[in-house]
Amino acid sequence: DTGVSQNPRHKITKRGQNVTFRCDPISEHNRLYWYRQTLGQGPEFLTYFQNEAQLEKSRLLSDRFSAERPKGSFSTLEIQRTEQGDSAMYLCASSLRAGLHHEQYFGPGTRLTVT
Amino acid sequence: QQQVKQSPQSLIVQKGGISIINCAYENTAFDYFPWYQQFPGKGPALLIAIRPDVSEKKEGRFTISFNKSAKQFSLHIMDSQPGDSATYFCAASMTNDYKLSFGAGTTVTVRA
């Protein structure tokens, strides 16, 4: 499968615990994005990387959230001291920077449930 | 503050009918407008996209109509099939700021 992959697909955690999600983009894509989607809503932008550089973070990304993309390949999103409001689908997308090329391809997401 | 407004929230169409979903935006700097299809438990899949230099784009049974002066665009699903039953999201982004701003989604149900 050459698409975007995300692990784990589901995560149930207790409030206050830390969680980490992984995203593997399409291999030749140099841009990687994280979005969050709550039930009945469209995805909301969290942050994005060009290669290993994190270029923008949304105000939605509180200081409990951190994202990395070492060596410009896979990315991790960590949430510290989880809260019930963090329960959502966390989506990763990747795209190829080529001129005005914007097309973002999404992974299947990680469903986080905080109890 | 939602930058892209989408309607209706849901619609039901008979097999073979036409589904129409509308979106409106305010930011005139937006220059890329994709539509995504999402099935339950899956990530959004890119369906079709348009740039403001064209007024219409067709791919198979899916057509985007774009009205730059009205700052509106719409998705038409022709000859709707039960397999088209999904949630559809419009989105927008701009050059040099590639993050997507999504609408709230439209759940389409195609009755056989």
Side-chain angles (χ1 to χ4, degrees):
Chain A
D1 188 350
T2 57
V4 178
S5 62
Q6 293 187 245
N7 288 288
R9 295 292 309 278
H10 304 274
K11 179 70 177 179
I12 300 174
T13 190
K14 293 185 185 303
R15 188 176 54 187
Q17 298 295 303
N18 299 343
V19 294
T20 300
F21 311 139
R22 176 178 170 128
C23 170
D24 287 89
I26 294 171
S27 59
E28 65 269 27
H29 285 187
N30 50 14
R31 289 181 184 262
L32 186 149
Y33 311 78
W34 285 99
Y35 292 82
R36 181 173 69 187
Q37 185 177 26
T38 54
L39 205 60
Q41 297 298 317
E44 295 176 292
F45 170 79
L46 292 178
T47 187
Y48 93 93
F49 294 83
Q50 181 169 308
N51 300 313
E52 66 276 8
Q54 188 173 18
L55 297 186
E56 185 174 347
K57 293 193 290 186
S58 163
R59 58 181 171 77
L60 294 175
L61 215 64
S62 74
D63 56 7
R64 296 184 297 106
F65 288 72
S66 62
E68 294 182 339
R69 193 184 182 197
K71 303 178 182 177
S73 55
F74 70 92
S75 176
T76 58
L77 178 68
E78 180 183 15
I79 309 175
Q80 296 182 327
R81 306 181 303 280
T82 52
E83 302 173 356
Q84 287 189 319
D86 297 332
S87 294
M89 174 81 88
Y90 289 84
L91 294 163
C92 175
S94 69
S95 72
L96 179 64
R97 181 173 183 263
L100 296 179
H101 205 280
H102 290 270
E103 294 181 359
Q104 294 184 26
Y105 296 90
F106 283 80
T110 294
R111 169 76 64 189
L112 173 67
T113 302
V114 182
T115 61
Chain B
Q1 179 187 357
Q2 196 161 36
Q3 296 198 60
V4 181
K5 296 184 178 179
Q6 184 171 349
S7 63
Q9 187 174 4
S10 64
L11 67 90
I12 299 173
V13 63
Q14 293 296 316
K15 180 181 175 182
I18 302 173
S19 304
I20 301 174
I21 306 169
N22 301 299
C23 286
Y25 63 97
E26 287 298 323
N27 190 342
T28 55
F30 284 146
D31 62 359
Y32 174 71
F33 303 89
W35 285 88
Y36 283 84
Q37 179 190 57
Q38 186 175 33
F39 293 103
K42 306 291 185 182
L46 180 63
L47 199 58
I48 186 173
I50 198 168
R51 298 188 187 280
D53 52 345
V54 297
S55 60
E56 186 174 282
K57 183 174 181 180
K58 183 176 181 180
E59 288 185 3
R61 295 184 294 107
F62 300 91
T63 299
I64 300 179
S65 297
F66 186 83
N67 186 330
K68 187 174 182 178
S69 61
K71 293 185 288 187
Q72 295 175 347
F73 57 110
S74 60
L75 177 70
H76 295 203
I77 307 174
M78 313 300 285
D79 186 26
S80 297
Q81 300 297 312
D84 297 332
S85 296
T87 301
Y88 293 82
F89 293 95
C90 60
S93 69
M94 64 185 87
T95 302
N96 298 325
D97 184 4
Y98 301 103
K99 61 181 180 286
L100 291 169
S101 296
F102 282 86
T106 298
T107 299
V108 173
T109 302
V110 182
R111 294 266 166 84

